[in-house]
Amino acid sequence: MSDAPFAGQQVVVTGGGTGIGRAAALAFADLGAANVIITGRRENRLTEVVALHPAITAVVADVTTEEGAGKVADAVKLGGGKVDVLVHNAGIFRFTPVAGFDLGTARDVLETNLVGPLVLTAALLPQLTSPGGSIVFVSSNAGHIAVPGGGVYGASKAAVDSLVRSWALELAPQGIRVNAVAPAAVRTEVYAANGLSPEEVEGYFGFQASQTPLGRTGEVDDVVPWITRFAEPASSWVTGQIITLDGGADLA
């Protein structure tokens, strides 16, 4: 297997300023990508990642809007005009219990987790390498398990899983593959962003570890290799697949 499977390729990673997106962008760059475009809404976090590798560039954009998606498409043109890999990583979790339901919060979750990938894929489809292009979603095991108080988040990820299967069939004639990773709890900034204290975060992860057959929760490095593996040319016969990364929690 080549040490640089993405040599000469252009990659787009949404939500590339933190967590899984940040690590994925660095991995693609280390694996030879000529240009890795990261997107997000927080310029300071994107700038931090750009400083870590010369192959990474940033576009500050809200890709849930056509204007934001257009900015990414323009950056792709400047980088050579083709997208070889598109990683839909941007996502948010918010508690949305039925009691006290807040429409604005629900819309934020659905727009970020579902509408964003729809808008950006439509904008970039003419630029996706055909044949040979790859779309990889970062979904969640919440797309197929019950999450009390997190129904809207779970629904958004179930919709993502449906997109993976539908688009895999729809885009197969163009030689474009679509797959997803579906991790369980992974340590990123998302928990603090939802207002949990450090003590609450540790309590949550301790509980999750106790319910996981392998005895621990996920780290970013447990997820990223599967993203790059789905995207690399060696996986050219793999499409429509959603792999659950959860330490065996689905079996418990």
Side-chain angles (χ1 to χ4, degrees), residues 76-99:
V76 168
K77 292 176 184 176
L78 290 174
K82 286 292 183 181
V83 178
D84 299 289
V85 180
L86 171 58
V87 179
H88 288 301
N89 165 75
I92 60 172
F93 175 86
R94 298 289 185 270
F95 286 108
T96 53
V98 177

